Structure formats: structure tokens, C-alpha cells
Amino acid sequence: MDAKANGPSAKQSGRAVDGPTNPMVTPLLTDLYQFTMAYAYWKAGKHNERAVFDLYFRKNPFGGEYTVFAGLEECIRFIANFRLTEDEISFIRETLPSCEEGFCDYLREIDCSDVEVYSVSEGSVVFPKVPLLRVEGPVAVVQLLETPFLNLVNYASLVATNAARHRFVAGKSKLLLEFGLRRAQGPDGAISASKYCYMGGFDATSNVAAGMLFGIPLRGTHSHAFVSSYMSPDEIVEKSLQSADGSSTCEDFVSLVQTWLNKIQWLHSLRGTFGETNQSELAAFTSYALAFPNNFLALVDTYDVLRSGVPNFCAVALALSDLGYKAVGIRLDSGDLAYLSSEARIFFHTIEKEFGVSGFGNTNITASNDLNEETLDALNKQGHEVDAFGIGTYLVTCYSQAALGCVFKLVEINDQPRIKLSEDVSKVSIPCKKRCYRLYGKEGYPLVDIMTGENEPPPKVGERILCRHPFNESKRAYVVPQRVEELLKCYWSGKSDKAREELPLLKDIRQRCIKQLEQMRPDHMRRLNPTPYKVSVSAKLYDFIHFLWLNEAPVGELQ
């Protein structure tokens, strides 16, 4: 835990909240103008005015019609431990030399005990315009939270959504492995990617640090370097391997492997399918199996997948089977993955049939090699036998879209609603403190998200409600909800006595995400031409938005 976590703001109702996962997430991880505004608020005596900000986004990423919300836990960890150190205050003084000393005294005292955070549950499927977070508190303090919150939510939600899209294309039955550490944008990009890809539906990661930090299952085998580092089986000094049940020991596992390779070669020589395999590759596989007999998974494309890699793997796997072990499978990292996986599967079934090794035909086939959403879709259309996909670059860098574009807008101050206007209607903010609901239909699918004023009565099951597009007067519909879910819940209540939600475990957030995605109507989820999900406001809020719009917009004058 960060040392700052011992301060008074790190606890709420007696419950401690750990500091941010990344120690670089401090109050200085913000834009300079947050501190210049804080000073200006303080100088004008406005710094303690009660403000309400909404954090939301305007458009779904990747050409889709849904987004997965992520990053909430890190936001709560940040504000629970929000205190400026003397070194940080000294740096602000140096950066803004014209500031009065009293502002530094103010900075020494501030924390987030007067802040309240209401949020959609992490792992939820969310849509444009609906607040993901509503942050209430002294305007200067909340202003200092803007950039860190956006930083913690934007990438987290983007990569979780990217992971969910890959899961949707791959299908429920495939194992998805995140292999992006070496290609991610720096250490934090890698750690965050591992966490939020797991949240979005991936099964495991190669990132050992993420495995320790978050309890994500780890997967990995060996590289081409390991294979090419061997010259021949003669290099293997320790050749013995105890059986799986410990009852016996094979003194020369290398010879056992060679015996099985001879049988495989004899069998296939009758069919003319291949000749001699690469002996250095066989040595590497044998050595790896001696080290990991319970987890033998071989990278088979160093020299030639079908002529060498697969038969060499089979020889080692059959030798392991003689001793009671079951090999995990192979990994393909290059070439025509659809063809190679199909041919490897045929090979495995032939081995099972000819040598009577039960289940060998179902040996796992993992594929990697710069996979992305499009290549997964293409493989599905071609037909393949891949059981697991290792995906890295395109997943963790969110190659097809650089950023989500969340914004943080003032919607109320001192109980007075505020609106941000723009010639681009999509950038007009929705004013005032709001409550947000998801309305479900008869078939159990979400029909529409609706925002209402804070004091409006909530939608009721079985009661018809008019849902209006926030800005287009012709887009409106009546809905009779069969279930109503309130979206914004209190996750940080400061020093108030309001009950707050507990932060769930990562595995529970992941399950929520998977369940939410399964609840969505299929036409909202499809890759091509998905149906836009409807986001609306109540009739009363619609009227107020347009009243405030007209009241705040300057009136032109024609000459």
C-alpha cells in the first residue's frame, strides 16, 4: 500500500482502500490547467462551491455500438489516497511562482473527504452520453480529479471493449490468451492491458507481473530461441524421467522419444507424407518435456510445421503418455493458420487411431502471429482447428482506434444547472444532476437507457414512460419496462453517512462483463452494421435541456 494510504481519506466507514496500482498515479498526474483553475477558484473564493461533473463519452469505439466500462477501482483507489506531499506542493509553487503562499496552505489541507462519486458498476456495457461517473464536491478539488479520472478510465474502457470484441468473434469455446506485454505502450500500458483484457473476457495472460498483482491465470511456453539453441539430442545430459504416479522411472527418456519417432516415421513413410525431422528441434522438445512433463506445449514452426514440428511433438507427447503424462499441445506462430491447424488435427487423429492413444486427436492447438479481430473472423470463415488464440499487438495497442475520448463536464454548481453549448450538437452537454436507468423489455434484453432529473420519480415496471432523444425532437418512443435497473450507485461517499458499494474482485467484475454482454440483443453486438442502442432523456429533462439551451445561447442580430 502507498504510504499516503494511511491518511484520513484512505478510509471510509472504517474500511481501508489501497493506493493506486501504479505509484505514478498521484495528484500531479494531471494537466497544468487543473492547478491554474484551482488557484483561480481559490483566489476568487469559489474553491469550496459545490460542483457536479459528469464523466462520459460521445461515441462507441471500433465502429461498434457498445463499450465496456473499466477503470473505476483505480479511480476510487486514487481519491481514497488523495493528498499532496510537501515535495509536490513545492513543485507547484515553483511552477506557479505568482501564487500566494495561502494557496499552498490550502493544498496541504485538501483531500477527497468532501467528494462523492456515483458510478456505473465496473464491467458494465455502457453507451454514449450516459454518465459513467458523477463526481460531486468542492469545485477546485473535483477539478483536480478530472485528468487523472480520464486517464484511468479512457484506456481501461477502450482495451476492455477491444477484448470483448475479440471474444465475441472468437466464440465462447475458444481459449483467449493476452500476449501483448512486449508490444504495449510502456509498463503501465502492459499492466493495464493484462488486467482489462481479462475483464473483457480473455482467459489468461503471459504477463507475470499482472498475474501476481491481479491473480490472472498465466500461460506461456518457449520461444524459437529455445528451439534453435539446441544442436542435437546428445546435449541432453539428464535423461531420466519419473512416471506421473511416481511408481517407476524411465532412465533414458531421449531413447523412448526416438523410438516413438521411428514408429511415426515408419507409419507415414508408407503414405509418403514426410521424411526425416529436424533433430535439434526434437532435442529442444525433449528437453522442455523433461523440465515440464505436466505442461508440455511445443512451438512447432521453427523449421517446418508439418514435416518436422508436428511429428517431433507427437514423438515426445507419446513418450510422455507412456509415463502417464498428457501433453498440452502445440503453438503455431506463422504460416497459413487455417490450413496448418487442420492438417495438424488430422495428424493427431491419425496418431490416436493407429496407436490407440485415447484423446490424442483432441490435442490442443494454439495460434498466435499478429492476430486481430479481422483475422479471427477470416479464420472462422475459412474453417480451422485452433483451440486457443494468443493475441498481442493489435489487442493491447488498440490498433484500430487510438483512444475512447471520454470527457468530464460541469453540469451543476451551487445547485444551478450548467450546460456546455457547441455548434456540433454531439458536443452539447446534458445539464444538472441526473439519475440514469436501463429499461428492459419482455425478452429480457435492454431496450433503452434513460436519464432523468435527480428529483423525478423513477421509471416503474409496467408503467409507460416517454423516452426522448436529448436533442432530436422527432426521435421519441413510449416504453413499458419489464425491469428497471438504476445505473449510478455510490462508490465513494466521503465523510457523509451515505451507504456505498463495495469494490468487487476482478474475477467478479469479469463475470459481470461476460453476463452483461450475453444479455445484449444480438443486432447491437454484430461486427457489421450493428443497430445503435437508444439513449434517451425523460420528457421533463428534454424540456429543461432546451429551455436552458435557449436561455444560455447568445441571440444574434442581423444588420
Side-chain angles (χ1 to χ4, degrees):
M1 183 185 295
D2 190 290
K4 294 181 183 180
N6 295 320
S9 64
K11 291 189 177 182
Q12 187 172 342
S13 302
R15 293 165 290 185
V17 180
D18 288 343
T21 300
N22 186 339
M24 292 183 71
V25 179
T26 72
L28 294 197
L29 187 71
T30 192
D31 295 304
L32 178 60
Y33 81 169
Q34 307 294 6
F35 276 101
T36 61
M37 285 190 288
Y39 178 70
Y41 285 134
W42 177 84
K43 181 75 171 173
K46 286 175 60 70
H47 55 290
N48 284 325
E49 292 184 3
R50 193 77 178 174
V52 180
F53 287 79
D54 285 347
L55 187 153
Y56 61 96
F57 61 96
R58 299 182 176 119
K59 186 178 181 181
N60 288 303
F62 309 117
E65 287 298 338
Y66 70 92
T67 300
V68 173
F69 170 51
L72 171 62
E73 179 182 347
E74 292 299 329
C75 289
I76 300 303
R77 284 170 170 252
F78 173 62
I79 64 171
N81 299 276
F82 185 96
R83 296 285 293 192
L84 281 92
T85 66
E86 281 301 319
D87 286 345
E88 291 167 339
I89 293 169
S90 295
F91 182 75
I92 295 301
R93 183 192 291 111
E94 293 170 9
T95 303
L96 303 175
S98 62
C99 289
E100 298 175 19
E101 186 61 31
F103 180 63
C104 295
D105 294 334
Y106 164 71
L107 292 178
R108 288 186 181 93
E109 298 301 320
I110 61 172
D111 56 26
C112 289
S113 58
D114 284 331
V115 173
E116 297 175 21
V117 176
Y118 297 80
S119 176
V120 176
S121 298
E122 190 163 11
S124 295
V125 177
V126 291
F127 303 97
K129 303 183 186 74
V130 179
L132 306 178
L133 294 133
R134 186 179 80 219
V135 187
E136 307 175 23
V139 63
V141 174
V142 178
Q143 200 77 72
L144 292 174
L145 301 178
E146 174 180 1
T147 302
F149 273 24
L150 290 172
N151 178 269
L152 292 168
V153 169
N154 262 313
Y155 176 71
S157 299
L158 187 72
V159 76
T161 305
N162 202 20
R165 291 178 64 85
H166 281 75
R167 166 57 72 191
F168 181 78
V169 176
K172 296 179 183 179
S173 64
K174 303 301 180 184
L175 195 70
L176 291 184
L177 314 172
E178 179 269 307
F179 283 176
L181 174 57
R182 63 186 58 196
R183 304 288 173 79
Q185 282 96 338
D188 187 69
I191 293 292
S192 294
S194 298
K195 178 180 181 179
Y196 297 117
C197 285
Y198 181 66
M199 182 186 298
F202 272 59
D203 298 289
T205 180
S206 64
N207 187 338
V208 178
M212 186 189 77
L213 285 169
F214 309 121
I216 302 171
L218 291 171
R219 293 291 186 276
T221 176
H222 58 78
S223 71
H224 295 105
F226 183 82
V227 176
S228 57
S229 71
Y230 281 81
M231 299 299 290
S232 77
D234 294 337
E235 295 177 50
I236 302 174
V237 177
E238 179 52 60
K239 301 179 181 181
S240 65
L241 180 62
Q242 192 175 58
S243 63
D245 62 7
S247 62
S248 62
T249 298
C250 173
E251 297 298 338
D252 193 348
F253 183 71
V254 176
S255 295
L256 180 60
V257 169
Q258 189 62 55
T259 299
W260 272 112
L261 182 61
N262 293 337
K263 291 179 181 179
I264 294 170
Q265 287 177 323
W266 175 81
L267 172 67
H268 286 273
S269 67
L270 299 178
R271 304 177 183 182
T273 50
F274 67 84
E276 294 295 321
T277 66
N278 185 291
Q279 287 296 294
S280 63
E281 179 182 64
L282 181 66
F285 288 178
T286 304
S287 177
Y288 198 79
L290 284 165
F292 299 101
N294 286 303
N295 294 286
F296 176 56
L297 191 151
L299 179 59
V300 296
D301 69 338
T302 305
Y303 301 111
D304 187 294
V305 172
L306 298 179
R307 288 188 178 90
S308 183
V310 171
N312 276 339
F313 162 79
C314 289
V316 177
L318 290 167
L320 286 172
S321 180
D322 280 352
L323 300 178
Y325 298 101
K326 181 176 175 58
V328 174
I330 64 172
R331 177 162 74 93
L332 303 169
D333 193 47
S334 61
D336 185 334
L337 298 178
Y339 170 73
L340 292 174
S341 65
S342 297
E343 289 298 306
R345 182 68 67 206
I346 292 170
F347 201 107
F348 294 155
H349 280 299
T350 301
I351 293 292
E352 177 174 359
K353 180 180 178 181
E354 295 295 335
F355 297 117
V357 183
S358 178
F360 201 90
N362 296 323
T363 295
N364 182 279
I365 300 174
T366 298
S368 46
N369 186 32
D370 281 342
L371 300 177
N372 57 35
E373 192 179 332
E374 286 69 30
T375 53
L376 293 182
D377 188 48
L379 284 169
N380 288 339
K381 291 173 181 175
Q382 294 168 35
H384 66 86
E385 288 293 331
V386 177
D387 302 295
F389 293 101
I391 308 177
T393 305
Y394 289 90
L395 175 68
V396 303
T397 64
C398 296
Y399 187 85
S400 59
Q401 180 167 329
L404 177 58
C406 288
V407 295
F408 196 80
K409 297 299 178 185
L410 178 71
V411 296
E412 186 175 290
I413 189 163
N414 290 337
D415 297 323
Q416 298 300 309
R418 306 307 296 151
I419 190 170
K420 185 261 182 188
L421 300 180
S422 172
E423 292 183 6
D424 182 351
V425 174
S426 68
K427 292 190 174 184
V428 175
S429 64
I430 298 176
C432 77
K433 190 187 297 186
K434 297 172 288 292
R435 298 178 73 176
C436 307
Y437 305 90
R438 183 159 294 170
L439 309 184
Y440 291 79
K442 293 179 180 179
E443 296 181 355
Y445 295 124
L447 293 176
V448 63
D449 284 6
I450 185 170
M451 292 171 272
T452 72
E454 184 190 27
N455 296 319
E456 288 188 60
K460 296 179 181 177
V461 172
E463 190 173 289
R464 191 170 73 160
I465 182 172
L466 178 62
C467 299
R468 303 204 62 171
H469 188 284
F471 309 119
N472 190 326
E473 64 180 8
S474 66
K475 291 185 177 181
R476 53 187 180 170
Y478 284 108
V479 176
V480 180
Q482 302 305 301
R483 181 162 77 89
V484 176
E485 177 188 5
E486 185 159 12
L487 298 178
L488 294 178
K489 302 172 184 176
C490 182
Y491 278 89
W492 181 256
S493 54
K495 63 185 179 184
S496 73
D497 58 359
K498 295 178 182 177
R500 72 173 174 103
E501 301 289 319
E502 292 287 351
L503 293 170
L505 299 173
L506 178 59
K507 64 182 182 66
D508 296 327
I509 299 173
R510 181 177 184 271
Q511 284 304 117
R512 174 183 180 79
C513 178
I514 292 170
K515 183 178 179 181
Q516 285 243 320
L517 290 165
E518 290 174 345
Q519 287 179 337
M520 295 304 300
R521 215 169 64 198
D523 58 309
H524 295 308
M525 304 295 293
R526 63 191 177 208
R527 288 190 69 242
L528 297 177
N529 302 315
T531 303
Y533 182 82
K534 292 177 175 60
V535 172
S536 66
V537 296
S538 66
K540 187 174 181 180
L541 181 54
Y542 175 89
D543 290 339
F544 182 73
I545 292 169
H546 290 263
F547 165 78
L548 196 60
W549 191 340
L550 292 175
N551 192 56
E552 295 288 346
V555 179
E557 182 173 332
L558 301 179
Q559 297 292 333

